[in-house]
């Protein structure tokens, strides 16, 4: 059965090995033809059995398979290397095709690229911050130069005003009252109270001073010239308080100043708090508008509310939690008189509608000093009393039919009481007037603007023919017009 195949195999071996192989033919014990050929082995001394032959063949197959696997792996590595060579320009190499060394190289390359990108971003940010800081530095330098020029200009203007208008104010150290707390006009001294830098609305001092001597109609100040209020102008903001204590307050000028004060000297008091003692004094209007006090008075008796006025060199105010009115002389810094207002409500009994313990409100008009208040007997109606400025005695009183808590504030012009309808409405009115000479009241409707919608003080200055107010941190000024009599 295997004869032809063996014969062919024998021929092949014979051709390959020549005469070293021998072929023999014979019959086996069953009579079949059996071909046998022999090939001498250079390494084996005898022929292995069939089991050993199968083992050898399987071993050869395993070796061949392993060699093929190695060949395929080598081909894969070669292909990956060729791909890496092609992609070195920046394309991403698929990690599954890369051998470990190439993967490490690729990871390191990616890390370097990320670090480079991060460094570039940080550098760009640094350049931007540097440019911003340089711009801010230039702005600060410009502001410093402008401030220095303004300070120099202010000094010159103040000196000109002193020399030109008030040559008698050249005081020596001996002229300063004992205990006075003088403040450098431009430096910083150790005080019981130190103002912060204020937010300002600049108005030229010369303009304000000229305006203060002229009423809206253009007539020069005529001393006791009187009339009925017929018009109130738009408010002008002169400056703004810089701390929470200045939400409510009072500011004033003396309509009849005495030496060393002038019509330009200004005082202000921030009235938020339970111990109101600081009174800031400004020699010149420019100092007031720019926030540089020349002196800070420390009151020996604390003040209550916003009803204070300055008249003939003295500050008149209500004592804290009391119906007592005090006359404090500004030059000597001492209390010269104090007196109770008989039966006057105080500390929240009969305030204006905005509150603020405004039970006792002092006022000045062309005829002198007044006090506006109410009593239990008057059942909350406004009572007006003319006050002797030296002794604080009440000279004459009028009981009106105007309920004090129904109006926001009040002031007196030429012996007539005027009331403001609202402290918070932007478009309020002067709504009522009580004429003390006639003993009667009437309704009005004169527009009055609360620009910042919280007016806590409204007063009249008879020398300047203007209304002063304190509106939600802001110190305001109004022109007025009086009818001719």
């Amino acid at each position: 059965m295997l004869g032809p195949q063996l014969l062919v195999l024998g021929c092949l071996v014979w051709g390959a090995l020549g005469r070293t192989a021998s072929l023999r033919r014979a019959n086996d014990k069953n009579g079949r033809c059996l071909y046998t050929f022999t090939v001498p082995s250079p390494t084996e001394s005898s022929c292995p059995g069939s089991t050993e032959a199968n083992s050898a063949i399987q071993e050869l197959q395993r070796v061949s398979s392993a060699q093929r696997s190695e060949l395929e792996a080598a081909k894969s590595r070669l292909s990956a290397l060729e791909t890496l060579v092609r992609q070195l320009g920046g394309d991403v190499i698929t990690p599954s095709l890369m051998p470990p060394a190439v993967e490490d190289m690729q990871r390191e390359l990616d890390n370097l690229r990320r670090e480079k990108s991060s460094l570039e971003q940080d550098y760009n940010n640094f350049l931007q911050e540097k440019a911003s800081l340089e711009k801010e530095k230039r702005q600060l330098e410009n502001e410093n130069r402008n401030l220095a020029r303004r300070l120099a200009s202010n000094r010159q203007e103040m000196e000109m005003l002193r020399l030109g208008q008030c040559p008698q104010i050249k005081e020596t150290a001996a002229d300063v009252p004992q205990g006075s707390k003088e403040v450098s006009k431009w430096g910083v001294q150790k005080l019981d109270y130190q103002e912060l830098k204020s937010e300002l609305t600049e108005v030229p001092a010369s303009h304000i001073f000229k305006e203060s001597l002229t009423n809206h109609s253009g007539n020069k100040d005529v001393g006791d010239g009187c009339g009925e209020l017929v018009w109130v102008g738009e408010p002008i903001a002169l400056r703004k308080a810089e701390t929470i204590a200045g939400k409510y307050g009072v500011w004033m000028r003396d309509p009849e100043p005495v030496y060393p004060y002038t019509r330009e000297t200004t005082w202000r008091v921030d009235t938020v708090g339970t111990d109101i003692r600081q009174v800031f004094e400004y020699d010149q209007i420019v100092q007031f508008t720019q926030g540089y006090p020349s002196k800070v008075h420390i009151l020996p008796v604390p003040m209550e509310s916003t009803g204070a006025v300055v008249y003939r060199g003295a500050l008149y105010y209500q004592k804290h939690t009391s119906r007592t009115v005090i006359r404090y002389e500004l030059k000597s810094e001492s209390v010269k008189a104090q007196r109770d207002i008989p039966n006057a409500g105080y500390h929240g009994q009969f305030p204006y509608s905005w509150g603020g313990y405004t039970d006792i409100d002092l006022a000045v008009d062309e005829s002198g000093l007044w006090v506006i208040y109410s009593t239990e007997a008057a059942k909350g109606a406004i009572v007006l009393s003319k006050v002797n400025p030296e002794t604080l005695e009440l000279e004459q009183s009028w009981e009106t039919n105007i309920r004090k808590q129904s109006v926001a504030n009040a002031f007196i012009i030429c012996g007539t009481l005027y009331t403001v309808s609202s402290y918070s409405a932007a478009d309020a009115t002067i709504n009522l007037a009580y004429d003390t000479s006639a003993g009667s009241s009437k309704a009005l409707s004169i527009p009055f603007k609360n620009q910042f919608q919280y007016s806590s003080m409204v007063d009249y200055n008879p020398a300047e023919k203007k209304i002063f107010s304190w509106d939600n941190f802001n110190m305001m000024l109004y022109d007025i017009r009086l009818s001719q009599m």
Side-chain angles (χ1 to χ4, degrees):
M1 178 172 63
L2 300 175
Q5 290 86 348
L6 292 173
L7 180 60
V8 173
L9 181 59
C11 292
L12 290 173
V13 173
W14 178 268
L17 301 176
R19 296 185 182 276
T20 59
S22 61
L23 177 64
R24 186 169 61 87
R25 185 177 62 182
N27 293 328
D28 60 7
K29 62 181 180 179
N30 295 322
R32 288 182 296 181
C33 182
L34 180 63
Y35 293 90
T36 304
F37 65 104
T38 303
V39 180
S41 172
T43 59
E44 294 178 332
S45 58
S46 61
C47 292
S50 60
T51 301
E52 295 176 352
N54 289 336
S55 299
I57 292 171
Q58 291 175 358
E59 181 65 26
L60 288 174
Q61 290 175 345
R62 283 194 295 271
V63 171
S64 175
S65 177
Q67 289 177 346
R68 274 198 301 273
S69 298
E70 290 180 2
L71 179 60
E72 291 300 327
K75 288 180 179 180
S76 297
R77 289 196 296 274
L78 179 60
S79 177
L81 290 172
E82 290 174 348
T83 303
L84 177 61
V85 170
R86 288 195 301 270
Q87 296 179 349
L88 281 177
D91 296 338
V92 177
I93 302 172
T94 305
S96 61
L97 300 178
M98 294 185 292
V102 177
E103 289 183 9
D104 293 341
M105 291 173 61
Q106 184 64 38
R107 280 195 296 271
E108 186 173 356
L109 179 61
D110 292 341
N111 292 336
L112 289 173
R113 286 173 177 165
R114 284 193 293 270
E115 187 175 352
K116 177 185 176 185
S117 177
S118 177
L119 289 173
E120 288 176 346
Q121 183 64 36
D122 291 342
Y123 181 68
N124 290 335
N125 293 339
F126 168 76
L127 292 179
Q128 292 175 359
E129 291 178 3
K130 178 183 177 184
S132 176
L133 289 173
E134 289 177 346
K135 181 179 179 181
E136 186 175 352
K137 177 184 175 183
R138 289 192 296 271
Q139 291 175 348
L140 290 173
E141 290 174 347
N142 290 334
E143 290 178 3
N144 287 337
R145 285 193 293 269
N146 292 337
L147 180 59
R149 284 195 294 268
R150 286 175 58 189
L151 290 176
S153 175
N154 290 338
R155 291 192 187 98
Q156 293 174 0
E157 185 173 356
M158 288 181 61
E159 187 62 27
M160 290 174 64
L161 286 170
R162 280 183 181 277
L163 296 176
Q165 297 177 9
C166 310
Q168 72 274 24
I169 297 183
K170 299 178 180 178
E171 296 182 78
T172 64
D175 297 323
V176 179
Q178 184 68 24
S180 174
K181 293 180 174 59
E182 289 291 342
V183 182
S184 170
K185 295 172 178 57
W186 308 110
V188 178
Q189 303 290 339
K190 184 176 180 181
L191 299 174
D192 293 338
Y193 182 91
Q194 176 64 46
E195 287 190 295
L196 300 176
K197 183 179 179 182
S198 60
E199 181 179 335
L200 306 175
T201 301
E202 293 188 14
V203 180
S206 58
H207 172 74
I208 297 173
F209 190 67
K210 290 176 183 177
E211 286 292 326
S212 69
L213 300 178
T214 307
N215 64 19
H216 181 77
S217 62
N219 298 326
K220 294 293 182 181
D221 181 15
V222 291
D224 293 336
C226 273
E228 181 180 327
L229 179 66
V230 295
W231 177 86
V232 177
E234 292 290 314
I236 301 171
L238 297 187
R239 65 164 299 181
K240 185 174 183 179
E242 59 282 347
T243 68
I244 190 62
K247 180 175 176 62
Y248 319 131
V250 55
W251 72 284
M252 50 232 158
R253 296 191 190 118
D254 193 340
E256 297 183 25
V258 296
Y259 178 81
Y261 306 115
T262 71
R263 288 267 298 276
E264 201 174 351
T265 310
T266 307
W267 292 267
R268 61 166 275 218
V269 184
D270 298 337
T271 61
V272 174
T274 58
D275 190 37
I276 303 165
R277 294 177 182 269
Q278 293 87 7
V279 180
F280 300 96
E281 180 181 302
Y282 306 86
D283 288 342
Q284 308 292 336
I285 292 175
V286 67
Q287 288 177 260
F288 172 66
T289 58
Q290 296 185 357
Y292 300 109
S294 54
K295 181 184 291 185
V296 179
H297 298 266
I298 307 300
L299 298 177
V301 180
M303 177 188 298
E304 180 148 290
S305 195
T306 60
V309 294
V310 173
Y311 183 59
R312 294 180 180 175
L315 173 69
Y316 296 84
Y317 68 94
Q318 177 192 354
K319 179 182 177 182
H320 181 60
T321 62
S322 168
R323 59 171 58 94
T324 302
V325 170
I326 292 176
R327 176 177 174 246
Y328 173 83
E329 190 176 75
L330 291 160
K331 182 178 179 180
S332 63
E333 298 187 350
S334 60
V335 173
K336 293 299 184 180
Q338 53 184 321
R339 186 179 296 272
D340 286 354
I341 305 299
N343 304 312
Y346 63 94
H347 205 62
Q349 285 182 282
F350 303 110
Y352 292 123
S353 62
W354 78 269
Y357 304 129
T358 49
D359 303 80
I360 295 175
D361 187 14
L362 292 149
V364 176
D365 77 342
E366 289 76 2
S367 64
L369 183 65
W370 298 77
V371 61
I372 305 168
Y373 61 103
S374 187
T375 65
E376 290 285 353
K379 299 180 180 179
I382 290 178
V383 177
L384 291 178
S385 293
K386 195 73 186 324
V387 181
N388 183 301
E390 296 295 325
T391 65
L392 301 180
E393 292 180 355
L394 302 188
E395 298 176 340
Q396 189 175 358
S397 297
W398 293 260
E399 185 178 316
T400 74
N401 59 352
I402 302 170
R403 179 175 166 80
K404 191 166 186 288
Q405 289 180 282
S406 69
V407 297
N409 228 304
F411 54 93
I412 299 174
I413 299 177
C414 299
T416 297
L417 174 79
Y418 295 91
T419 64
V420 182
S421 64
S422 173
Y423 65 91
S424 59
D427 297 316
T429 60
I430 306 298
N431 62 339
L432 296 168
Y434 181 87
D435 185 352
T436 57
S437 63
S440 62
S441 62
K442 66 178 180 178
L444 300 174
S445 185
I446 301 172
F448 182 88
K449 181 174 289 186
N450 296 307
Q451 182 171 337
F452 299 99
Q453 300 181 17
Y454 210 109
S455 293
S456 57
M457 160 251 172
V458 180
D459 277 340
Y460 169 67
N461 185 301
E464 300 184 32
K465 303 293 184 187
K466 293 180 184 292
I467 291 176
F468 293 18
S469 82
W470 192 293
D471 188 357
N472 201 9
F473 292 97
N474 294 275
M475 283 143 266
M476 314 295 290
L477 194 66
Y478 299 77
D479 284 325
I480 65 167
R481 182 183 297 141
L482 302 178
S483 64
Q484 299 299 315
M485 297 184 65

